[in-house]
Amino acid sequence: MTSSAAAPGPSLPAPADPWPAPRVVRPVDIVTSLPGSKSLTNRALVLAALADGPSVVRRALRSRDTLLMAQALTSLGSTVDTSGDDWTVTPGPFDRDAAVDCGLAGTVMRFVPPIAGLSTGSVAFDGDAHMRKRPVGEILTALRGLGVDVHDDERGALPFTIAGTGSVRGGTVVIDASASSQFVSALLLAGATYEHGVDVRHDGKPIPSLPHIEMTVSMLRAHGVDVDDSDADRWAVAPGPIHAADHLIEPDLSNAGPFVALAAATGGTVTVRDWPTTTDQAGDALRGILAAMGCDVRLDDDGLHVTGPERLTGVDLDLHDVGELTPVVAALCALADGPSHLRGIAHIRGHETDRVTALATELAGLGADVTEHPDGLSFRPAPLHGGVFHTYADHRMAHAGVVVGAAVDGVLVEDVATTAKTFPDFAGAWTRVTDGATRPAGA
């Protein structure tokens, strides 16, 4: 079976009644194509808006987060044509007052303020209610140190306003990026446009999700930007032009998580088309994680092939660099025949929700023997049962819910539509790939 996904509008639909997750009663055998990477799409949009000419973002992900980024850049003065599969971005003068809706998009909240400093207008930022709890103060403090006028009533959170002066001095700044790698990426993306560039130095606990900073550096270099990352915890971007460059967006490998986990949970086979042979995406770590849990994993010209085992093996994993994979991996750990321990993930408490507590709460509610730690989760084998799996408006939580629901009768996923944040029509795509291997509702 082959599936693909359609496109939503920029706003999350209102939560509906809990969605009955399809219960898979026989091994699946599917081939699927996935939407593009949100991380790559939003970085490409930012760089295109700052470039010295028009650029095209090919196979852009059309989701709430990316449409919010396109709207944000348009409000500043760029032109982003999102009418087709390939989005053309024409840089424009940042010469107007603007209001930026961050929604639940951390990339919008963190990547756009360093650009707003280049505007000659006043740029106001706000977002969904939960976004006022997500960390952004480190970036605002850094921007002040680089010469940007920031008004946030000293709260270090949304809402805030950037009063642009048309240029940013730039220079050296020391930050603590232990809460999010996006703090570093945000400053690097705009750094070449600053008068003295930007020299970002991290001072704190290890930075989570380092592959995302490596992704940022690779994309900057593709635009001709000089980036020195030869020293640990230091990234220096030289001042100069950001040349126009087109990007072909890879499939979102983190969004592949529930699909390849479906193979693991059912003992079936899933092939994800167009899986890149080399990539900076954190989701590529799924290959090693699934192999450690007993899956047969193979990458060839046709894509990534995952075949699940008869019994899932428990694992002991440090997910510090790939924390976004935790919800799906935790769901599989709850289904495994042996004990598991996931560690190094304290930083995901500051994601769309406190994912450590949310996972412990919701998986325990379905019968899992799970223990929450300050930086992780431990699992012991236990029989699971049905119930409502709450998502907390977090797309990755919904992914975890449907994985458990594939293996357990009666799992109802609350607000599955929150997946529109990064995956258009996820529920429809999931229904299509499980069709033919499911138990009819009420059976």
Side-chain angles (χ1 to χ4, degrees), residues 65-138:
D65 275 21
T66 59
L67 289 169
L68 285 170
M69 180 64 82
Q71 290 172 351
L73 298 172
T74 298
S75 72
L76 291 177
S78 297
T79 301
V80 184
D81 181 356
T82 63
S83 59
D85 293 336
D86 301 336
W87 295 3
T88 300
V89 183
T90 304
F94 300 148
D95 59 358
R96 64 202 65 180
D97 293 343
V100 172
D101 177 10
C102 301
L104 278 172
T107 50
V108 177
M109 180 177 70
R110 293 162 182 158
F111 291 0
V112 179
I115 304 172
L118 300 166
S119 176
T120 56
S122 177
V123 183
F125 291 80
D126 205 351
D128 291 4
H130 179 70
M131 285 297 280
R132 297 187 176 193
K133 302 177 182 178
R134 295 191 67 182
V136 71
E138 200 71 22

Side-chain angles (χ1 to χ4, degrees), residues 261 263-267 286-296 307-317 328-342 379-382:
T266 68
L286 285 165
R287 293 194 287 155
I289 292 170
L290 291 170
M293 299 193 82
C295 296
D296 178 69
T307 300
E310 290 186 11
R311 297 178 181 273
L312 276 173
T313 303
V315 287
D316 186 336
L317 298 172
V328 160
V329 176
L332 290 177
C333 290
L335 297 171
D337 278 359
S340 295
H341 185 57
L342 306 180
F379 296 86
R380 291 186 298 181

Side-chain angles (χ1 to χ4, degrees), residues 138-231:
E138 200 71 22
I139 289 178
L140 302 184
T141 300
L143 289 175
R144 287 190 182 98
L146 296 172
V148 177
D149 188 6
V150 180
H151 302 276
D152 67 340
D153 297 328
E154 300 183 356
R155 289 175 296 98
L158 288 172
F160 57 82
T161 300
I162 304 288
T165 59
S167 65
V168 176
R169 182 183 68 248
T172 299
V173 64
V174 179
I175 66 171
D176 180 356
S178 58
S180 176
S181 66
Q182 289 180 359
F183 296 168
V184 175
S185 288
L187 298 170
L188 300 185
L189 286 167
T193 63
Y194 294 174
E195 295 172 14
H196 301 291
V198 70
D199 187 335
V200 181
R201 306 183 185 198
H202 164 66
D203 183 14
K205 296 178 181 179
I207 299 176
S209 305
L210 277 173
H212 286 89
I213 297 179
E214 295 165 0
M215 176 189 294
T216 299
V217 170
S218 295
M219 295 183 74
L220 282 164
R221 288 173 174 158
H223 284 264
V225 176
D226 181 4
V227 184
D228 180 359
D229 62 348
S230 56
D231 296 330

